[in-house]
Amino acid sequence: MKTNASWGGRFSEGPKEAVADYTESVSYDKNLAPQDIRGSQAHARMLARQGILTEEEGRILVEGLDKVAEEIRSGRFVWRSELEDVHMNIEARLTEIVGDVGKRLHTGRSRNDQVGLSFRLYVSDSLAQWQVLVRALVQRIASIAADHADHILPGCTHLQPAQPVSLAHHLLAYAWMLRRDYDRLTDTLHRVRTSPLGAAALAGTTYPLDPVSVAEDVGFEGIYPNSMDAVSDRDFVLEALFDGSLIMTHLSRLCEELILWANPNFGYIRLSDGYSTGSSIMPQKKNPDVAELMRGRTGRVDGALMGLLTVVKGLPLAYNRDLQEDKEGFMDANHTVSTSLHVMEGMLSEITFNTDRMEEACRRGFLNATEMADYLVGKGIPFREAHHITGHAVALAERKGCTLEELALDELRGLDSRFEDDVYPVLDPRAAVRRRETPGGTGPKSVAAQLEKLRAWCAAGAE
Ligand code: ARG
C-alpha cells in the first residue's frame, strides 16, 4: 500500500487496507465535487488577487478546475479511494492536468476549512432547493383549498368530532406550517452562508489572505470571527437537519390524515391509482403506501439529526475527524426531504375529495352542540349553565337516536323554557362555520384572507 501523496511525507508505510477503507470518504463526499470546485476556484482567484500566486497561475488553476468539473460531469473522472476524499481526488487530477502549479492551490488553506466551505455550499444549495419545493407545495395546497372553500367537514380534537370547519381551512393549516418552514430555512441560510476559509487548519495562516472576498465570490454573507470555531462548527448542518425534520414532521402529520381519510370508514378522499398500491393477496385493497412511507421516512431525518448531535457533543476544539460523519446523514436527509416534498405535491394534486361524505359526517356526532350552547348564551344564560342544558339535550337526542335539530321544540322547552323556534337555523353546520369570523377562524372571510396572503406570498416567490 502506497503512502498518501498529500500527507505521506513522514510515513514509511501506507495505511492498512482495512484502515484505508475505514477512513475514506470519497465514496460519498464525491457528491460535493461541484461545490468543492467552486470553493477552490474562489480561493485561487483570491490568491492571485493578493499576489500570493501570479495572475497566470491563478488563471491556470481556475481553468484546470473547470476541466476537472467537466470530467466529473461527463462521468470520465476516475475516483480513487486511496486518495481518501473528494478534495484530494480533485487536487490530484488538477495537478495531472495543469502540472506542478496544481500543487500551489492549497496555499494558505487546510482541508479543515476547505471541507467546511464545500459542505456549507452543498447545504446551502440543498436548502435553496427545499425552499423551491416548499413554496410549490404551499401553492398546491392553496389552490386545492380555493376549490373547497364551500365544503365542510368535522374538525376534530382528540380525533373526536368537535366542530364543523371548512375543508379549505383544514388544508390551509398545513400551508401555514410549511410557510413557517420556509422562513426557518431562510433564517438558517444566513448562518450556512458564512465562510470558514482563512481559518486554515485551526489558527489562521501567515499568508496575507482576503477571506471576505472569497466569501463574496461564492455568494456568502460573511466569514467566521474565530478560526477555531470556523473549522469545527457544525451548527449549520444541525440546524438544516432540524429544519428538515420539522418539514418531515409536518408532511408526516398530513400523511396521517390522508391515511385516515382514505379509510372507507371515513371515506373523505380517494387517492389516485398512481399514488396507491395494491395487496398481493387481498384484491379489494388500495393502500396509501406513499403516505405511509413518507410518515416512516420522517424517522430517517430525525435519526440524522440525533446522530450528528451525538457526534458533536463531546468534541474538543478544533477539527476532529469525527466531523467527517456530518455528511452521509445530511445527504440522506436531503434526498428524503426533497423527494417527499415533491411527491406530496403530486399526491395532493390527484386526490379526489368526497365532499358529500364530509358534509354528512358533520350532521352526525353532535358537532353543533357548541352552537346550541352559544344560542342559549344569546338568550342571556351564563355559558356554564348553557353548556349544562345542552348536555341534557345531547343525552336526550342520544337516547332517541336522533340529532339535536331533530328534537322537537317542546322537547327542548322541556329542558329549558327559553328555547324558541329560532334555535333551528343556528344548528345548521354551515351556519356554524359561517359565524366563525375571528381572525384565523374557519369563517369564509377569514379563509379568504388566509388564501389571499398565501397567494401573494407564492406570487412574490415566482418573480
Ligand atoms: N474528509 C474530511 C472531512 O470530511 C476532510 C478533512 C480532513 N482533515 C483532516 N485533517 N484529516 O472532514
Side-chain angles (χ1 to χ4, degrees):
M1 170 63 61
K2 287 182 279 189
T3 63
N4 188 306
S6 43
W7 47 252
R10 63 159 290 177
F11 288 77
S12 55
E13 207 193 331
K16 302 280 184 225
E17 206 174 312
V19 172
D21 285 349
Y22 195 74
T23 54
E24 70 84 25
S25 54
V26 67
S27 52
Y28 52 86
D29 68 16
K30 64 181 176 202
N31 293 332
L32 305 182
Q35 289 81 8
D36 193 62
I37 289 174
R38 247 152 76 201
S40 285
Q41 288 179 323
H43 180 65
R45 278 192 285 265
M46 181 274 293
L47 291 176
R49 272 198 306 278
Q50 296 299 101
I52 301 164
L53 297 185
T54 66
E55 250 175 58
E56 174 68 358
E57 286 170 330
R59 194 183 53 73
I60 291 171
L61 289 174
V62 170
E63 288 174 7
L65 284 163
D66 277 336
K67 289 195 184 114
V68 176
E70 178 43 36
E71 287 186 8
I72 295 172
R73 265 198 300 278
S74 65
R76 275 179 293 133
F77 191 93
V78 184
W79 295 100
R80 291 160 56 195
S81 68
E82 71 275 16
L83 291 176
E84 266 183 41
D85 58 22
V86 61
H87 321 292
M88 295 208 280
N89 266 272
I90 288 172
E91 193 185 302
R93 181 66 190 129
L94 173 70
T95 306
E96 277 170 16
I97 295 173
V98 303
D100 274 354
V101 60
K103 298 179 182 168
R104 295 189 188 275
L105 174 64
H106 213 48
T107 312
R109 187 174 73 164
S110 151
R111 266 188 304 158
N112 298 349
D113 57 347
Q114 180 181 0
V115 69
L117 180 61
S118 306
F119 197 34
R120 280 167 180 81
L121 285 165
Y122 183 87
V123 173
S124 167
D125 291 349
S126 307
L127 299 197
Q129 180 58 21
W130 295 2
Q131 286 194 308
V132 170
L133 293 164
V134 167
R135 198 186 284 270
L137 181 54
V138 169
Q139 190 150 22
R140 171 66 62 193
I141 296 174
S143 93
I144 297 173
D147 292 342
H148 292 288
D150 288 333
H151 297 132
I152 60 169
L153 79 164
C156 288
T157 63
H158 313 269
L159 199 58
Q160 302 294 322
Q163 289 172 351
V165 292
S166 88
L167 177 54
H169 192 56
H170 192 124
L171 293 172
L172 287 179
Y174 289 99
W176 289 111
M177 293 179 216
L178 290 158
R179 181 51 232 276
R180 287 196 296 279
D181 289 333
Y182 186 99
D183 289 349
R184 219 178 325 273
L185 290 168
T186 302
D187 194 45
T188 299
L189 276 167
H190 293 304
R191 286 175 290 277
V192 173
R193 290 173 179 162
T194 303
S195 171
L197 228 66
L202 77 164
T205 174
T206 53
Y207 299 94
L209 304 185
D210 179 10
V212 173
S213 72
V214 177
E216 274 166 16
D217 192 340
V218 298
F220 275 13
E221 296 172 14
I223 62 167
Y224 276 81
N226 181 302
S227 63
M228 296 182 84
D229 184 30
V231 286
S232 61
D233 171 34
R234 291 297 180 274
D235 295 3
F236 70 99
V237 202
L238 289 166
E239 273 191 59
L241 285 170
F242 173 75
D243 296 349
S245 270
L246 205 44
I247 290 172
M248 289 306 296
T249 300
H250 293 149
L251 295 181
S252 183
R253 291 181 66 186
L254 179 51
C255 286
E256 174 66 16
E257 299 225 58
L258 297 179
I259 291 163
L260 287 170
W261 289 2
N263 177 300
N265 293 325
F266 272 85
Y268 290 177
I269 58 167
R270 268 181 76 81
L271 296 167
S272 72
D273 286 356
Y275 287 91
S276 320
T277 54
S279 156
S280 53
I281 175 166
M282 296 164 284
Q284 88 284 11
K285 292 271 272 179
K286 188 165 167 188
N287 292 331
D289 290 36
V290 177
E292 291 171 88
L293 276 170
M294 204 175 287
R295 188 178 56 183
R297 283 191 189 147
T298 305
R300 297 171 76 116
V301 183
D302 294 355
L305 171 62
M306 288 308 139
L308 187 58
L309 279 169
T310 312
V311 167
V312 175
K313 77 181 260 294
L315 295 186
L317 289 172
Y319 178 84
N320 296 275
R321 190 65 177 271
D322 313 48
L323 293 175
Q324 183 169 295
E325 290 298 303
D326 60 356
K327 292 174 200 67
E328 279 174 294
F330 181 78
M331 287 171 180
D332 186 70
N334 181 29
H335 183 254
T336 304
V337 171
S338 46
T339 51
S340 300
L341 285 165
H342 179 67
V343 168
M344 177 58 92
E345 202 260 315
M347 182 158 63
L348 290 180
S349 73
E350 294 191 9
I351 282 180
T352 338
F353 293 88
N354 187 350
T355 51
D356 291 344
R357 176 94 178 181
M358 293 181 181
E359 170 123 17
E360 180 197 304
C362 287
R363 303 192 183 267
R364 287 177 272 122
F366 305 109
L367 277 96
N368 48 3
T370 318
E371 306 317 302
M372 181 177 275
D374 286 343
Y375 164 85
L376 293 171
V377 169
K379 300 278 169 190
I381 303 175
F383 183 77
R384 277 290 152 238
E385 203 184 317
H387 184 284
H388 198 74
I389 298 165
T390 306
H392 283 304
V394 169
L396 176 63
E398 223 165 17
R399 272 201 306 282
K400 296 192 58 187
C402 68
T403 64
L404 285 177
E405 60 276 25
E406 282 163 1
L407 292 172
L409 188 57
D410 44 329
E411 287 174 306
L412 290 174
R413 283 237 168 95
L415 300 171
D416 192 284
S417 60
R418 285 162 288 188
F419 275 114
E420 288 175 70
D421 232 0
D422 58 355
V423 66
Y424 292 105
V426 170
L427 295 179
D428 177 41
R430 293 189 155 272
V433 170
R434 270 200 305 275
R435 277 197 296 275
R436 285 182 163 64
E437 288 291 17
T438 37
T442 189
K445 285 200 197 85
S446 156
V447 170
Q450 293 181 51
L451 264 173
E452 189 45 48
K453 275 191 196 139
L454 286 170
R455 281 213 183 108
W457 179 73
C458 290
E463 275 160 17

